Amino acid sequence: MCGIAGLFDKYEDLSQNIKMLSDMSKTLVRRGPDENGIYIDHNVALIHRRLVVIDKDNGKQPMLCGMNNEKYVIVYNGELYNTRELRDELKQKGYKFKGHSDTEVVLKCYIEYGRECANKLNGIFAFAVYEMHAKKLFLCRDKVGVKPLFYSEFENGIVFGSEIKSLLASGKVKPTVTEEGLTEIFFLGPARTPGNGIFKNVCELLPGEYAVYCDGKLQKTRYFKLTAKEHTDTAEQTVEKLRYLLTDAIEKQLVSDVPMCFFLSGGLDSSIIVQTAANFYKRNSEDKAVTYSVEYQDNMKYFEKSLFQPTADVEFIRLMVENADTFHNEVILDNADLAEALYPSVEARDLPGYVDVDSSLLLFCKEIKKNYTVALSGECADELFGGYPWYHNRDILFEDCFPWSRSQDIRRSILRDGVLTKGEEYVREKYLDTCRHSDKLSTDTELSSRMREMFNLNYYWFMQCLLERKDRCSMYSGLEVRVPFCDYRLVEYAYNMPWEIKAYDGREKGIVRKAFEEILPFDIAWRKKSPYPKTHNPVYMNKCREKVEKILKKKTLLSELLSESGIRNIMENPDGITSPWYGQLMKAPQILAYIVELDYWFEKYNVNIE
């Protein structure tokens, strides 16, 4: 994985502005700590920061290639999982390769197929290709949106980057937020509307979208989106195909020239990945799999069972370590450190985020990076295969709103009267727009139709928020995290899978359980869904409360938006919050942490409101 950025300015000679390009490059050093490079062609510059994973010597970027009276240059961030197949295909067409890097394959795939190359790529990526003679810039993001690609058009050109901070460093984008951006933060955050970069004039390519910038115009195309098709496989055939697709996705992602490890929570998803990898290693006489889990100091003293978190992870982790025979490591996080890590979590996202869910992952990845460069994680199975309670509770399922943020009351309560008065209306329109654009079949039942809407809501909103978290918090420490459940073939198959098959035996992710029950301990395969571990220690709440107290005493731009009485009510009556701010577990401590992140974001990024 890497960081990329670039600038196309019709009138500026960028070779005379090396400092600005250097500043842009420095913003991505955490994503690519191993190497860096810049390509400049008068008014175009492409920037690359590299984290070396495959083919150190032949994967250097920016990478250039001349062919057909044209010169091409690429900057690429990602991993391609069908590299071998595409390389063989291109060799048959006469292409030669210097090494085995996927960057070279992507570049020559573009040379051969042009913009249609996007449909041929199976992987997680964001890249830019510049055609020197045609003066054409091609930008592309992977089908599922695992890797980010932000951009901003200005009067004479376009600037792009893996992270928003690169755009800000160019000077072409100011840290300005309009009412729309504030509404996103206060009424949708930590999620954001697909494609919305929060800062004024900052956008992001959608999952499965590419863009061509030429002659001062940007043309965007969706090359991949969820399409309704009839599911013709029987339940038994579905089990077999799902087992094949996921196993193939996992094994394809075990390729690396540097050490690799695995996240293990003791839940179904990570356990499938760990066991599949362990079995692969044994068949190929390789070393044992190395696993990592996360926990918090004294957490079991304060753990309380709930509908969303019925069991703690520790016993299930031990069971999986024994079953898969892994070398296991447990990272125990300090609660005070967790609160302090809210600040670098903002810097990782360039926005207020998923608070301690972010900061814990950031600290976790920091520890893993001491020994490993690549990890595999079980992210996104819940969104694709009905893992959340809102899929199974019929009252919530048919409730006409985002299921993870059903009430806006708690969000409204922290704002002053008269601030963002159309927030609820804005959220409702975003929800309805997603439902309206859910592709369906004329034969869909009421339940099938709603399940397609629910799939899209989770896929384009909740899942994207988690993928953003995974990318930023891992790459902040230069750790590449791969997510096999996000293989686009699985996504397509899951979208059209009938609910009665998907919820096999009436269970959340029932079809996944059935497909892999033979390789897992029974207690793992049929364990009730439990979310990412959070801290239950009151130390964390107290730390957040202390920080918010200091914020309430300041007179800032943010304080003009916040209601002190509303915030104090949360601090004094934390158990009175019945509906989470976002997701399943974002309650009083996390709401206070969100205010801490908001304050830091306004200050660190010198945010102004327009």
Side-chain angles (χ1 to χ4, degrees):
M1 296 300 170
C2 309
I4 65 172
L7 188 63
F8 191 138
D9 190 312
K10 184 177 181 180
Y11 297 113
E12 183 176 3
D13 181 357
L14 296 175
S15 65
Q16 302 303 307
N17 203 343
I18 298 299
K19 182 183 183 305
M20 179 266 289
L21 298 177
S22 177
D23 288 344
M24 290 179 67
S25 178
K26 288 175 183 177
T27 65
L28 298 170
V29 68
R30 286 184 168 275
R31 297 186 70 92
D34 298 331
E35 295 177 352
N36 71 89
I38 298 178
Y39 166 83
I40 303 174
D41 179 21
H42 189 59
N43 56 0
V44 174
L46 299 183
I47 299 166
H48 190 262
R49 283 279 179 172
R50 188 181 183 199
L51 175 67
V52 176
V53 173
I54 294 176
D55 200 354
K56 183 181 189 301
D57 294 331
N58 296 298
K60 297 180 184 297
Q61 298 185 50
M63 183 179 289
L64 283 74
C65 182
M67 191 170 291
N68 303 325
N69 298 316
E70 181 58 276
K71 292 183 179 180
Y72 305 84
V73 57
I74 187 174
V75 284
Y76 167 81
N77 163 37
E79 293 295 339
L80 192 62
Y81 302 130
N82 61 338
T83 299
R84 183 180 301 174
E85 297 91 329
L86 282 176
R87 184 188 293 113
D88 290 343
E89 179 180 322
L90 291 166
K91 281 182 176 179
Q92 291 179 2
K93 292 179 177 292
Y95 286 85
K96 306 292 185 182
F97 291 86
K98 296 179 180 179
H100 63 276
S101 78
D102 51 350
T103 306
E104 188 177 9
V105 171
V106 173
L107 177 56
K108 290 178 178 176
C109 192
Y110 176 80
I111 293 172
E112 175 64 24
Y113 299 109
R115 64 189 68 182
E116 293 304 314
C117 74
N119 290 302
K120 288 185 165 287
L121 307 178
N122 179 6
I124 54 177
F125 53 79
F127 65 91
V129 178
Y130 179 60
E131 299 181 38
M132 301 181 199
H133 295 156
K135 296 190 179 301
K136 181 190 300 181
L137 179 68
F138 178 78
L139 304 173
C140 186
R141 191 178 181 203
D142 68 72
K143 295 179 175 71
V144 182
V146 178
K147 290 290 130 183
L149 188 54
F150 294 92
Y151 69 91
S152 180
E153 293 182 83
F154 54 93
E155 185 178 1
N156 301 319
I158 188 171
V159 58
F160 67 89
S162 295
E163 298 182 6
I164 295 172
K165 57 175 65 70
S166 301
L167 277 60
L168 294 171
S170 73
K172 306 296 184 181
V173 176
K174 304 300 181 184
T176 299
V177 180
T178 64
E179 182 174 347
E180 179 184 52
L182 290 175
T183 304
E184 290 269 336
I185 286 172
F186 281 101
F187 284 91
L188 290 170
R192 53 188 173 85
T193 300
N196 191 313
I198 306 300
F199 290 96
K200 183 181 179 182
N201 296 329
V202 173
C203 303
E204 184 178 23
L205 281 187
L206 297 174
E209 187 172 54
Y210 64 69
V212 177
Y213 186 82
C214 188
D215 295 328
K217 296 179 181 179
L218 185 72
Q219 180 184 20
K220 298 188 292 184
T221 302
R222 291 288 294 278
Y223 69 91
F224 177 83
K225 56 184 177 181
L226 298 174
T227 304
K229 301 174 184 177
E230 184 180 359
H231 185 88
T232 58
D233 292 342
T234 65
E236 292 74 18
Q237 290 170 331
T238 302
V239 167
E240 291 296 325
K241 186 166 183 178
L242 174 59
R243 184 187 299 125
Y244 164 74
L245 287 174
L246 183 51
T247 300
D248 187 61
I250 295 168
E251 292 183 351
K252 274 183 165 63
Q253 297 184 30
L254 297 178
V255 177
S256 174
D257 292 344
V258 295
M260 173 184 292
C261 65
F262 303 85
F263 289 10
L264 178 62
S265 68
L268 176 70
D269 314 325
S270 64
S271 296
I272 289 172
I273 293 172
V274 167
Q275 190 64 62
T276 301
N279 293 346
F280 179 86
Y281 287 168
K282 288 174 185 176
R283 290 197 308 271
N284 292 276
S285 301
E286 297 185 30
D287 293 336
K288 292 182 179 181
V290 176
T291 51
Y292 279 83
S293 63
V294 64
E295 186 52 281
Y296 306 88
Q297 277 189 348
D298 299 324
N299 215 31
M300 290 307 297
K301 289 183 181 179
Y302 304 100
F303 177 79
E304 294 182 4
K305 294 182 179 181
S306 69
L307 174 64
F308 296 128
Q309 198 158 21
T311 53
D313 291 334
V314 59
E315 293 302 324
F316 297 95
I317 291 171
R318 289 172 186 164
L319 180 58
M320 267 312 300
V321 167
E322 292 174 3
N323 196 74
D325 190 23
T326 74
F327 287 118
H328 187 65
N329 305 270
E330 183 181 45
V331 176
I332 300 177
L333 302 181
D334 178 83
N335 287 279
D337 291 343
L338 188 66
E340 290 304 311
L342 292 171
Y343 304 122
S345 297
V346 173
E347 294 177 30
R349 274 206 194 219
D350 295 320
L351 296 166
Y354 213 162
V355 291
D356 54 296
V357 180
D358 280 0
S359 63
S360 60
L361 180 61
L362 186 141
L363 294 173
F364 185 43
C365 291
K366 180 181 179 181
E367 287 301 309
I368 293 173
K369 176 60 179 179
K370 292 177 180 178
N371 298 295
Y372 291 89
T373 301
V374 181
L376 265 66
S377 173
E379 215 78 28
C380 300
D382 294 296
E383 290 79 13
L384 304 180
F385 294 101
Y388 295 116
W390 48 71
Y391 277 102
H392 301 268
N393 183 322
R394 197 172 180 87
D395 291 337
I396 300 177
L397 175 65
F398 282 96
E399 197 168 1
D400 205 17
C401 62
F402 287 116
W404 50 83
S405 189
R406 295 158 62 200
S407 171
Q408 302 297 316
D409 292 349
I410 189 65
R411 294 170 178 269
R412 173 62 66 190
S413 74
I414 71 166
L415 292 170
R416 289 178 182 257
D417 291 342
V419 171
L420 304 178
T421 56
K422 296 182 179 179
E424 291 85 354
E425 179 183 331
Y426 184 88
V427 172
R428 173 117 183 106
E429 181 52 37
K430 296 298 181 182
Y431 161 79
L432 290 174
D433 186 61
T434 305
C435 292
R436 283 193 293 262
H437 287 88
S438 297
D439 199 38
K440 301 176 183 179
L441 296 177
S442 60
T443 54
D444 284 345
T445 64
E446 180 189 22
L447 178 62
S448 298
S449 176
R450 183 54 178 169
M451 282 301 179
R452 291 195 191 278
E453 292 175 354
M454 188 63 75
F455 193 105
N456 275 276
L457 290 167
N458 279 270
Y459 179 76
Y460 287 113
W461 290 86
F462 203 77
M463 185 169 131
Q464 294 302 319
C465 182
L466 293 176
L467 287 175
E468 183 173 19
R469 160 187 176 257
K470 184 71 74 175
D471 175 82
R472 302 310 187 282
C473 295
S474 59
M475 294 303 292
Y476 189 80
S477 293
L479 177 70
E480 173 189 316
V481 179
R482 301 174 180 177
V483 280
F485 278 96
C486 288
D487 188 299
Y488 79 93
R489 299 169 300 166
L490 273 170
V491 173
E492 288 181 312
Y493 197 56
Y495 184 62
N496 291 296
M497 195 181 292
W499 180 246
E500 59 271 18
I501 294 180
K502 187 179 290 187
Y504 184 93
D505 202 28
R507 290 296 306 275
E508 73 282 1
K509 296 182 288 190
I511 192 67
V512 183
R513 298 175 189 279
K514 184 64 179 175
F516 288 89
E517 65 177 352
E518 293 183 3
I519 70 168
L520 297 175
F522 178 87
D523 288 347
I524 296 287
W526 296 98
R527 178 191 179 190
K528 185 173 176 59
K529 152 76 180 170
S530 191
Y532 179 83
K534 62 170 273 187
T535 182
H536 298 272
N537 196 315
V539 168
Y540 179 70
M541 172 67 171
N542 292 336
K543 290 291 183 182
C544 291
R545 183 186 284 114
E546 290 172 6
K547 293 177 183 298
V548 172
E549 282 285 3
K550 294 178 181 179
I551 291 170
L552 292 177
K553 294 176 181 176
K554 298 194 297 186
K555 295 296 182 183
T556 63
L557 191 59
L558 176 62
S559 66
E560 296 177 11
L561 304 174
L562 298 177
S563 166
E564 180 174 349
S565 61
I567 294 170
R568 289 201 176 279
N569 183 55
I570 295 172
M571 296 167 69
E572 295 165 7
N573 303 286
D575 295 332
I577 298 173
T578 56
S579 179
W581 174 281
Y582 182 85
Q584 304 168 68
L585 302 172
M586 200 168 170
K587 293 192 174 181
Q590 289 74 33
I591 296 171
L592 297 182
Y594 196 71
I595 294 168
V596 172
E597 289 200 340
L598 273 167
D599 177 70
Y600 183 70
W601 179 65
F602 266 84
E603 184 176 299
K604 176 71 176 180
Y605 286 78
N606 195 27
V607 174
N608 60 81
I609 298 173
E610 182 178 285

